[in-house]
Amino acid sequence: AAFDKIYHIEELMSDYDPNSMLSKVNQNAFQEPVPVNTELFEVLAVSKSYSALSDGAFDITIGPIVQLWRKAKEDGMAPSADALKKAQDNVGYQSLILNPEKQTVQFAKKGMLLDLGGIAKGYAIDKAIQVLKAARVKGAMVDIGGDLRCFGAPANGVKHWLIGLQDPTNKGNVLLTLKMDDMAVATSGDYQRYVMVEDKKHSHIIDPATADSADNLSSVTLIAPTAMSADALATAVSVIGNEKGLELINAIENTEAILIS
């Protein structure tokens, strides 16, 4: 049931699937308000709140820039400055119009595209955990590609869930081990997911302000009560960097960060 919930959310929120509900929003939301289900609306609403909290460092309207860099990976050529500027003009969470009463989504600008890569994974983890708790599972860990959340106790009398933090410079080396209870962990970094374009490494995390990859930090690990918040905040801190990133995290209760320059 937990896996079914994860796959269901992927079907809703993948921008790679032209038939997903998110793709339907991307195709039609400039022409008219698009009705969406409760789950997608919840993710969009929470995403806007994290955008406001991070002054736009986390922004799900980053889609036009992400698409350019995906194409750059295929072509082996960096996007032109003009193309990036044009894409950047269509980015801005303030132009995402949500109607809670009608549960609809609309774009204020033509050319806007949503990309939930920085939050949907966390949401799927939280929903899977809900399913497991409802089934009275005593303890579990749900891990999707390095984002994870655990509750209860592991098997065999082990007291805590033990999570290793990978050294970004040495794949085989664990920097430290986190002892986790009823918390979520998300790590964003440029050491696993990146593209090489014209001999330059570009992280998959995009800074909306520069339309290029965020290269302030090598690795950002967020510890938070939900995987959704850990996921979104890890992206935000990767973009805004060390000092402002720590200011942001210190202002949020029950949330910790481990930053590697």
Side-chain angles (χ1 to χ4, degrees):
F3 277 111
D4 286 346
K5 178 59 80 174
I6 290 167
Y7 296 135
H8 163 69
I9 290 162
E10 185 182 21
E11 282 173 9
L12 283 176
M13 303 187 193
S14 169
D15 67 333
Y16 287 95
D17 178 0
N19 298 312
S20 72
M21 190 176 286
L22 181 72
S23 292
K24 296 284 189 285
V25 170
N26 280 339
Q27 290 155 18
N28 303 308
F30 177 66
Q31 288 90 350
E32 59 187 356
V34 178
V36 296
N37 76 347
T38 304
E39 290 161 314
L40 182 54
F41 194 87
E42 183 185 358
V43 170
L44 299 182
V46 171
S47 294
K48 275 198 83 166
S49 70
Y50 280 112
S51 293
L53 187 69
S54 65
D55 287 332
F58 173 82
D59 193 334
I60 58 167
T61 69
I62 197 80
I65 300 171
V66 172
Q67 294 295 336
L68 278 182
W69 282 108
R70 273 188 202 162
K71 192 169 184 307
K73 181 187 177 184
E74 290 167 19
D75 299 345
M77 280 176 60
S80 69
D82 284 350
L84 285 171
K85 177 72 176 74
K86 194 175 174 186
Q88 210 173 6
D89 288 343
N90 292 325
V91 173
Y93 69 94
Q94 299 91 339
S95 299
L96 176 62
I97 303 160
L98 303 178
N99 185 324
E101 288 169 16
K102 295 182 178 176
Q103 214 165 278
T104 59
V105 187
Q106 193 166 16
F107 296 161
K109 292 179 187 174
K110 191 177 183 180
M112 279 179 70
L113 290 171
L114 302 180
D115 182 315
L116 299 179
I119 198 164
K121 209 194 287 186
Y123 182 76
I125 292 167
D126 290 336
K127 287 296 173 183
I129 291 279
Q130 269 183 16
V131 168
L132 294 166
K133 285 184 171 179
R136 300 217 252 318
V137 170
K138 288 181 180 176
M141 181 172 76
V142 178
D143 177 356
I144 305 180
D147 291 1
L148 56 91
R149 182 174 164 186
C150 53
F151 73 94
N156 307 322
V158 179
K159 287 186 175 176
H160 308 280
W161 296 95
L162 303 176
I163 313 299
L165 182 61
Q166 187 181 308
D167 182 345
T169 60
N170 180 356
K171 210 168 186 179
N173 189 31
V174 175
L175 287 178
L176 54 88
T177 303
L178 301 168
K179 291 181 180 178
M180 302 294 298
D181 300 293
D182 299 316
M183 289 292 270
V185 186
T187 297
S188 287
D190 63 1
Y191 59 94
Q192 276 197 322
R193 289 178 61 199
Y194 58 87
V195 298
M196 294 299 294
V197 180
E198 296 175 5
D199 296 326
K200 190 184 171 196
K201 185 170 157 183
H202 293 270
S203 160
H204 70 288
I205 302 161
I206 303 290
D207 181 348
T210 64
D212 204 338
S213 57
D215 55 8
N216 292 311
L217 292 157
S218 190
S219 170
V220 173
T221 296
L222 245 290
I223 303 157
T226 68
M228 199 178 182
S229 59
D231 203 3
L233 289 169
T235 302
V237 173
S238 295
V239 169
I240 58 180
N242 197 343
E243 285 182 33
K244 283 187 177 176
L246 285 176
E247 277 177 30
L248 174 65
I249 298 310
N250 285 335
I252 302 168
E253 283 187 7
N254 300 325
T255 305
E256 302 290 341
I258 300 162
L259 313 184
I260 300 170
S261 62

